[in-house]
Amino acid sequence: MALVPLRLLLDHAAENGYGIPAFNVNNLEQVQAIMEAASETDSPVILQASRGARSYAGEIFLRHLIIAATETYPNIPVVMHQDHGNEPSTCYSAAINGFTSVMMDGSLEADAKTPASYDYNVQVTKTVVDFAHSVGVSVEGELGCLGSLETGKGEAEDGHGFEGELSKDMLLTDPAEAADFVQKTKVDALAIAIGTSHGAYKFTRKPTGEVLAISRIAEIHKALPNTHLVMHGSSSVPQEWLDMINKFGGAIPETYGVPVEEIQEGIRNGVRKVNIDTDNRLAFTAAVREAAAADPTNFDPRHFNKPARKYMKQVCLDRYQQFWCAGHASKIKQQSTNYYADLYGKGALEPKTSVTA
């Protein structure tokens, strides 16, 4: 089966009460690790690429890596998702080049650094939705800026992230505004701001409600009971990988990620897509450092990439099981973007919103 739209997977996840990890990919080993774990656990897959990944790997190389995944594992439904599109043209090019889902992140302006106005966000997101839905491609929007409630600052991912310091209200998605945003834009999924941020350095201590507003998810879910919510910056930053990196010459200071149990609480309250990147990066780096220390004379890339794939696969296995995603891939009837274009055209997928905050 070819690639499937994101909306297909999110609807199934909502109906069955689970979340789907969305893993960022840049290379062959990442794709292999994710797909091997998905196959072993019978889990649906979201492979996502940032603008930086598309530039690094090359548009054609990256697309064919993901197509190879669908051909190797035809029983697993796979979404190819554009992460953090900075302007409509980024999303258009992704849709034209085979992506089955795009994110229009209008929380920042096209420079991917300047916080945008609400009206701007609505306008650019609605523009992308109108085009993408006409060809059956799903759309994720974002409301609120992703950043730390501890510092008021953000962490750029592949060049995407605000600069400077923001107030708390800009770092937390407002439930009533979220309902209005979904009603006006008709997005399939909404990324929300609750105090998470990109990268490994999310929290200086184990996060509490002061810096990780998990309770805000329930408030948004109450206002938008039929909208799929997305958690960005949701890597858990496992201590085992930090310890291994530092044991073999790394210098990563003490840091904390988003606890799995907090993500699970989010899933209970409408979160269907959970973005994971840093955890796989850490696992990859730990494996490479360990392999290099074990055999300093070895210069075969496979000596490093094989254990890297193995460690990343373990991260993926854990997340598929912890997010209750395992066992669902075979239950999903795969459908094409053409099928979804028809549904969008008939108005069958119009968002149902509530103004009760």
Side-chain angles (χ1 to χ4, degrees):
M1 179 65 189
L3 297 162
V4 302
L6 178 66
R7 181 64 181 266
L8 173 68
L9 300 194
L10 299 188
D11 282 349
H12 190 270
E15 291 166 6
N16 293 277
Y18 65 93
I20 306 172
F23 295 108
N24 285 71
V25 294
N26 301 271
N27 62 24
L28 171 66
E29 286 73 25
Q30 287 175 313
V31 174
Q32 289 176 324
I34 294 162
M35 295 306 300
E36 287 177 13
S39 180
E40 289 185 18
T41 58
D42 187 31
S43 300
V45 170
I46 302 171
L47 300 177
Q48 58 185 24
S50 64
R51 286 186 300 133
R54 290 169 68 185
S55 174
Y56 167 80
E59 188 83 41
I60 297 173
F61 281 106
L62 190 59
R63 182 172 73 250
H64 282 280
L65 277 176
I66 296 175
I67 290 173
T70 67
E71 293 178 351
T72 305
Y73 300 94
N75 58 312
I76 300 292
V78 178
V79 170
M80 182 161 66
H81 177 74
Q82 163 69 57
D83 191 26
H84 287 293
N86 65 312
E87 58 185 336
S89 62
T90 301
C91 297
Y92 298 158
S93 68
I96 290 168
N97 282 287
F99 282 72
T100 55
S101 176
V102 297
M103 179 190 186
M104 178 61 239
D105 185 355
S107 68
L108 303 178
E109 295 182 5
D111 64 3
K113 298 177 181 179
T114 306
S117 69
Y118 178 73
D119 288 343
Y120 170 88
N121 194 353
V122 169
Q123 185 268 317
V124 295
T125 304
K126 180 65 165 59
T127 297
V128 170
V129 168
D130 288 345
F131 168 77
H133 282 182
S134 72
V135 293
V137 170
S138 308
V139 180
E140 174 187 337
E142 180 167 321
L143 187 63
C145 293
L146 200 69
S148 169
L149 292 175
E150 274 191 285
T151 65
K153 297 179 180 180
E155 181 73 25
E157 180 180 48
D158 289 340
H160 193 103
F162 69 84
E163 295 183 341
E165 188 172 332
L166 298 180
S167 62
K168 188 173 181 178
D169 65 306
M170 296 182 72
L171 296 171
L172 289 173
T173 301
D174 177 80
E177 195 171 60
D180 183 68
F181 183 83
V182 171
Q183 191 170 45
K184 288 178 176 175
T185 62
K186 305 187 187 307
V187 290
D188 297 284
L190 181 65
I192 55 176
I194 57 169
T196 59
S197 57
H198 293 135
Y201 308 109
K202 302 180 190 301
F203 308 105
T204 59
R205 62 187 188 278
K206 188 173 181 178
T208 63
E210 296 177 358
V211 295
L212 180 59
I214 293 295
S215 62
R216 180 60 62 101
I217 299 174
E219 297 172 24
I220 297 169
H221 184 49
K222 184 179 179 181
L224 286 168
N226 300 298
T227 296
H228 306 303
L229 303 181
V230 181
M231 285 179 64
H232 281 241
S234 295
S235 285
S236 297
V237 191
Q239 188 65 44
E240 63 185 294
W241 303 131
L242 299 180
D243 291 344
M244 188 178 294
I245 290 170
N246 290 341
K247 177 182 178 180
F248 295 108
I252 297 181
E254 185 176 62
T255 181
Y256 295 85
V258 183
V260 168
E261 58 269 22
E262 299 286 13
I263 298 172
Q264 291 173 332
E265 182 63 19
I267 292 170
R268 293 187 187 98
N269 287 282
V271 170
R272 300 299 161 218
K273 176 174 176 280
V274 184
N275 284 20
I276 307 289
D277 187 13
T278 294
D279 286 351
N280 273 342
R281 293 187 184 195
L282 292 172
F284 192 106
T285 301
V288 169
R289 285 187 174 276
E290 182 184 47
D295 186 359
T297 65
N298 202 308
F299 55 87
D300 185 344
R302 292 168 295 186
H303 173 70
F304 309 99
N305 288 337
K306 284 182 179 180
R309 184 172 60 198
K310 176 183 176 182
Y311 287 178
M312 288 189 293
K313 177 182 174 181
Q314 186 58 56
V315 170
C316 299
L317 286 169
D318 290 343
R319 299 302 176 266
Y320 283 131
Q321 293 163 342
Q322 291 162 339
F323 299 168
W324 311 307
C325 188
H328 287 286
S330 58
K331 301 174 184 177
I332 298 171
K333 181 181 179 181
Q334 299 188 35
Q335 300 287 1
S336 68
T337 52
N338 287 339
Y339 176 83
Y340 270 78
D342 185 56
L343 291 180
Y344 288 124
K346 293 176 179 176
L349 299 176
E350 289 284 308
K352 298 174 183 178
T353 59
S354 167
V355 295
T356 304

